[in-house]
Amino acid sequence: MPEKTTDTLQTAIDQALQVNQPRLAKYLSIETVAAKHLGIEETVSVIEQAFQDLGAVVTVWRDIPGSNPFVFATLPAGPNGNAEKTLLFYNHYDVQPAEPLDEWDSDPFTLTEKNGRYVARGVSDDKGELIVRLSAVKALQAAGGLPCNLKFILEGEEEVGSPHIAPMTKQHAADLAADAIVWETGGKDADENFQITCGVKGTASFNVTAKSAESDLHSSLAAFVDNAVWRLVQGLATLRGPKGEVLVDGFYEGVSPLTPTEQAAIDQLPFNEAAIRQNFELKLPLIADKPAEALINRSTITINGISGGYEGDGLKTVLPKQARAQLDCRLVPGQDPKHISELVQAQLDKNGFSDLHVSYNQGEPAFRSDLTDEFVQTAVATAHEVYGDAVKLVPNAGGSGPEAPFAEAVGAPIVSIGSTWAGSGAHAPNENVRVKDFTQAARYTARLLQAFGQA
């Protein structure tokens, strides 16, 4: 059973969350969309003020060419804390665009509380998570002081692939030095298990284009002329099998095998197909026999979008002259993003589609912490204190993020924890967190800091 929460720390957490609710509302009200270059400086100012109100030393790094500002803040251990231990938090302050707006039940940039949930763009990914962490810090300060040194680093380009994280971590490795890293977001799965996630999949994003003529042609010529859209979809169809298997020579070469500890962690993960179908309103059969394992350790190739020809109202009977698709691959440790795109081009060439052109966009390598690391085990033990038996250790998330550059620069284990749940709908309309999870995550964060300082 979870520990009782009617104590001094919980009182301080409740008070901190209440004090920070207007700050949460202000933070969420800003349309901080990196893809549209919106709200960046206003958001940075709000974050600066939040850290300054906690007594932190705050620096805004603007020394990485082309990057949105990074916000870096430090807080020392309290008088009774462990000044020999330092924990680094990573968060991002940019959010996804709110469109389609007509699918929101409330204004996406107005914090709304409904049916026990906070609803707004960014409340789960990732603005809300920062307020959870700042509330935990505020509560610890009120309940006797910080148990260790803290550092925070926030970026403003995570939702566009974190293109400047690698140069930032190299340039500021000394500033970022820490004994452990707590990553953005995390929470409960469809079975209400709290997850401690220790890594991310990698990603490779690329476009594939086809061109069949210098201008669109009359569709009557389809009797003897091919068109770019058909050519593109036929070529792409050769890259994946019916169960999602990637049919690209060399794609799986170099993949790191699972350790016995990683395999054991995967084997104990549940997969609630009924709940997932309901949450996502799935219409098609699943393509994996072991979905939980596939999410963690199966590489993928998928079409994000495809365009070409005419799709408007009325009729326009043409043979499209060109077509374009954007694809991504989710990767596991041992796969190199850029090399993956080169393998895709080689496979298209081999399959008779050398006229299709692959252009690499960007990518991130996968990363996994050592599940036997002391900090990982501390995170798990503390989770059992707060969440009872409903705790799962997850080798890595199914999604991606710039953990690998941090691991290389800092050389510390990374865990992801947070306040989300299976129905949070990050990136979707009506993004939300449950208020009870928000409060529970603040307590867990505070207790983790205490346990880390004592370890």
Side-chain angles (χ1 to χ4, degrees):
M1 293 292 292
E3 63 179 350
K4 294 181 179 179
T5 58
T6 55
D7 57 15
T8 302
L9 177 60
Q10 188 61 45
T11 299
I13 288 169
D14 293 340
Q15 291 173 344
L17 287 169
Q18 183 176 3
V19 169
N20 275 333
Q21 187 159 2
R23 193 188 306 277
L24 174 65
K26 172 63 177 176
Y27 192 27
L28 294 168
S29 73
I30 308 170
E31 189 176 353
T32 321
V33 180
K36 299 181 180 180
H37 309 288
L38 294 174
I40 302 300
E41 292 300 334
E42 182 182 0
T43 306
V44 168
S45 295
V46 169
I47 297 168
E48 279 188 279
Q49 188 61 57
F51 280 114
Q52 288 168 354
D53 288 348
L54 289 173
V57 176
V58 189
T59 308
V60 179
W61 293 338
R62 303 178 186 272
D63 54 351
I64 306 300
S67 174
N68 286 339
F70 292 91
V71 182
F72 180 68
T74 60
L75 288 152
N80 299 315
N82 185 350
E84 300 300 315
K85 301 289 285 290
T86 300
L87 192 66
L88 172 66
F89 286 99
Y90 163 89
N91 288 88
H92 63 89
Y93 59 82
D94 61 319
V95 300
Q96 282 283 316
E99 287 81 1
L101 298 177
D102 61 351
E103 294 186 17
W104 284 81
D105 297 330
S106 55
D107 179 73
F109 296 102
T110 299
L111 176 61
T112 303
E113 187 172 352
K114 183 179 180 181
N115 298 326
R117 302 174 188 174
Y118 288 140
V119 181
R121 172 56 85 229
V123 72
S124 75
D125 183 19
D126 170 50
K127 289 181 173 180
E129 298 285 10
L130 177 65
I131 301 303
V132 166
R133 293 170 178 185
L134 297 187
S135 297
V137 170
K138 187 176 182 67
L140 287 168
Q141 289 175 327
L146 294 179
C148 60
N149 303 317
L150 297 181
K151 296 179 180 180
F152 286 81
I153 180 67
L154 283 86
E155 68 155 319
E157 297 177 308
E158 194 274 345
E159 299 293 6
V160 292
S162 301
H164 296 98
I165 281 289
M168 184 278 291
T169 54
K170 290 178 181 178
Q171 188 158 321
H172 291 281
D175 297 305
L176 298 171
D179 301 294
I181 301 172
V182 175
W183 204 252
E184 56 111 356
T185 203
K188 296 178 180 177
D189 64 19
D191 286 328
E192 298 294 322
N193 296 299
F194 181 74
Q195 297 182 320
I196 294 96
T197 305
C198 300
V200 290
K201 277 185 173 176
T203 185
S205 172
F206 50 91
N207 297 334
V208 182
T209 55
K211 188 171 184 178
S212 56
E214 290 301 323
S215 64
D216 291 346
L217 304 176
H218 194 284
S219 69
S220 64
L221 299 181
F224 62 88
V225 176
D226 203 352
N227 82 65
V229 175
W230 273 119
R231 187 67 179 164
L232 180 60
V233 298
Q234 288 167 343
L236 295 181
T238 68
L239 301 176
R240 200 192 81 154
K243 299 290 285 184
E245 61 272 29
V246 182
L247 306 178
V248 174
D249 292 347
F251 186 85
Y252 297 102
E253 290 180 3
V255 169
S256 302
L258 293 169
T259 68
T261 302
E262 291 167 347
Q263 185 64 63
I266 291 173
D267 290 343
Q268 54 85 45
L269 292 177
F271 186 82
N272 189 329
E273 181 175 347
I276 289 173
R277 283 193 170 280
Q278 181 177 355
N279 287 336
F280 297 122
E281 299 183 11
L282 299 182
K283 305 294 191 295
L284 300 174
L286 301 183
I287 61 171
D289 297 327
K290 297 180 178 180
E293 182 168 342
L295 184 63
I296 290 170
N297 200 51
R298 183 182 188 180
S299 304
T300 66
I301 188 168
T302 195
I303 300 171
N304 305 133
I306 190 166
S307 60
Y310 182 74
E311 301 173 82
D313 297 331
L315 299 177
K316 186 177 182 182
T317 53
V318 297
L319 296 184
K321 65 177 180 180
Q322 58 191 17
R324 173 184 178 274
Q326 181 171 300
L327 289 80
D328 79 56
C329 295
R330 298 290 169 164
L331 310 175
V332 298
Q335 293 180 298
D336 175 73
K338 185 67 163 60
H339 182 55
I340 288 296
S341 70
E342 294 168 350
L343 291 176
V344 170
Q345 180 69 75
Q347 190 67 43
L348 288 170
D349 294 349
K350 179 180 178 180
N351 293 349
F353 293 91
S354 58
D355 53 302
L356 302 189
H357 176 66
V358 176
S359 57
Y360 180 71
N361 294 326
Q362 61 187 52
E364 295 172 329
F367 171 77
R368 233 180 245 147
S369 294
D370 179 357
L371 300 191
T372 66
D373 182 87
E374 180 181 2
F375 179 67
V376 173
Q377 295 304 309
T378 297
V380 172
T382 306
H384 281 294
E385 291 180 15
V386 176
Y387 296 94
D389 294 334
V391 174
K392 296 295 181 182
L393 178 62
V394 183
N396 58 266
S400 305
E403 290 190 8
F406 273 87
E408 182 177 352
V410 181
I414 302 174
V415 300
S416 295
I417 54 171
S419 61
T420 66
W421 67 294
S424 280
H427 295 197
N430 303 305
E431 178 181 350
N432 69 92
V433 295
R434 297 179 298 199
V435 177
K436 66 177 183 179
D437 293 333
F438 210 68
T439 302
Q440 201 171 21
R443 180 176 181 83
Y444 173 68
T445 303
R447 285 291 300 118
L448 178 60
L449 294 184
Q450 289 177 330
F452 174 71
Q454 294 166 359

